Amino acid sequence: GRIRLQGGRQEVPDAPADHAATAIAFSPDGSLVALGVGQTILLYGRNGNLQREIETGANVDSLSFTPDSSAVLTSSRYQETSSLWSIAGDLQLRIPDSWGAAMSPDGKTLATIAWATGIKLWDVHGRLLREIRHPKADRGIAFSPDGKLVAAGSWVSGVGVWTLDGKPSRLFKVPGRSAYVAGFSPDGRVLATVADTQSAGELTVTLWNRDGKALHTFEGRAYISWVAPLSFAPDGKSLYLNFISPASWTNPGIPNRIVQYDLSGNELDN
């Protein structure tokens, strides 16, 4: 299908048929949509026209825009690096030993995760500000919209939430083999998590309130990406999941799908 922007009138073309779209991000000003395709960032305008291709030199496993929509933050689990790119295609910052990254809403702090090192907070110049222990943390990371909390997934301990000074706020014991943090809703009231529940590749999406109550759970039907498997639409009324076919791991000609769901788990017509 095609990806509709907020309002349902503008669309972004599918990724090229011979590549797998691995991440999606919407610019805060509403002017751009970014797709991660292989080692390339594809930037589309609201009219659906491709505006720029940025070759990153590493797999684009996750994507997010800076608050001013002037740059894109990417992460590659396999190359273990996170990078900040201007929308003109200039590399502004690269952080090694990172399997996932997110930027705070005020644009002043970067958060990265890695299996061995847990969570690290950085300033935008690459100076380390704080380290937070989170065992085997490689399953996505996100800031709350108010910038006061950071959430990260894990292979073993569920999804943890901390204040920026490193104090634990809450641990979501997500059922399953491993837990991905998917992100906060735009209003900050809901945290979405994804549990990799079976070796066959089934998954469970759970929506939680800030007090740790599960609001809704629904089942997926295919395997998902290692990093940033899900994001909220800008209006907070739907979710995007990135489904990766296991066959595409050995055959890049098999396309993957980014699927849109409403908050009850119904697949929307894309």
Side-chain angles (χ1 to χ4, degrees):
R2 296 164 70 86
I3 299 166
R4 290 185 176 87
L5 302 189
Q6 186 176 2
R9 295 183 179 179
Q10 289 80 24
E11 298 181 340
V12 175
D14 289 331
D18 59 344
H19 289 80
T22 52
I24 184 173
F26 299 86
S27 66
D29 65 6
S31 65
L32 294 170
V33 175
L35 288 181
V37 178
Q39 298 188 352
T40 305
I41 304 168
L42 303 179
L43 294 176
Y44 294 93
R46 285 193 63 85
N47 58 6
N49 291 333
L50 180 62
Q51 295 193 355
R52 189 173 301 277
E53 298 184 28
I54 302 173
E55 299 296 333
T56 68
N59 295 345
V60 181
D61 294 322
S62 68
L63 273 174
S64 59
F65 280 91
T66 56
D68 62 2
S69 303
S70 68
V72 180
L73 180 65
T74 68
S75 291
S76 172
R77 183 182 188 276
Y78 297 103
Q79 281 83 13
E80 299 185 14
T81 184
S82 294
S83 304
L84 186 64
W85 300 86
S86 74
I87 59 173
D90 299 318
L91 179 62
Q92 298 180 334
L93 178 67
R94 178 159 283 164
I95 297 176
D97 302 319
S98 168
W99 292 11
M103 177 166 281
S104 63
D106 63 6
K108 296 180 179 180
T109 306
L110 296 174
T112 62
I113 53 171
W115 180 277
T117 58
I119 301 168
K120 292 183 178 181
L121 301 179
W122 313 78
D123 68 16
V124 293
H125 304 291
R127 290 189 289 262
L128 182 64
L129 303 175
R130 186 176 301 278
E131 296 187 55
I132 301 173
R133 186 178 180 275
H134 189 39
K136 298 183 179 180
D138 76 327
R139 317 300 274 183
I141 189 164
F143 282 94
S144 61
D146 62 10
K148 295 180 180 181
L149 300 172
V150 62
S154 170
W155 269 92
V156 296
S157 59
V159 171
V161 181
W162 294 264
T163 61
L164 296 196
D165 59 3
K167 295 179 180 178
S169 174
R170 186 168 297 280
L171 179 65
F172 295 84
K173 283 292 188 179
V174 180
R177 185 176 60 182
S178 58
Y180 302 77
V181 62
F184 289 90
S185 61
D187 63 8
R189 295 181 179 179
V190 177
L191 176 68
T193 64
V194 181
D196 181 3
T197 55
Q198 301 289 338
S199 60
E202 297 177 1
L203 60 92
T204 300
V205 178
T206 304
L207 306 179
W208 310 81
N209 67 15
R210 293 281 286 266
D211 295 325
K213 179 182 178 181
L215 302 174
H216 188 70
T217 298
F218 62 90
E219 303 299 320
R221 54 182 173 75
Y223 205 84
I224 54 175
S225 61
W226 286 93
V227 180
L230 178 154
S231 61
F232 279 88
D235 61 7
K237 296 180 179 180
S238 61
L239 307 166
Y240 290 96
L241 277 75
N242 180 26
F243 288 99
I244 290 186
S245 167
S248 71
W249 297 341
T250 55
N251 185 354
I254 298 177
N256 299 328
R257 294 185 65 205
I258 294 177
V259 181
Q260 187 180 15
Y261 288 86
D262 65 22
L263 299 191
S264 296
N266 300 308
E267 185 173 334
L268 302 179
D269 183 13
N270 288 323

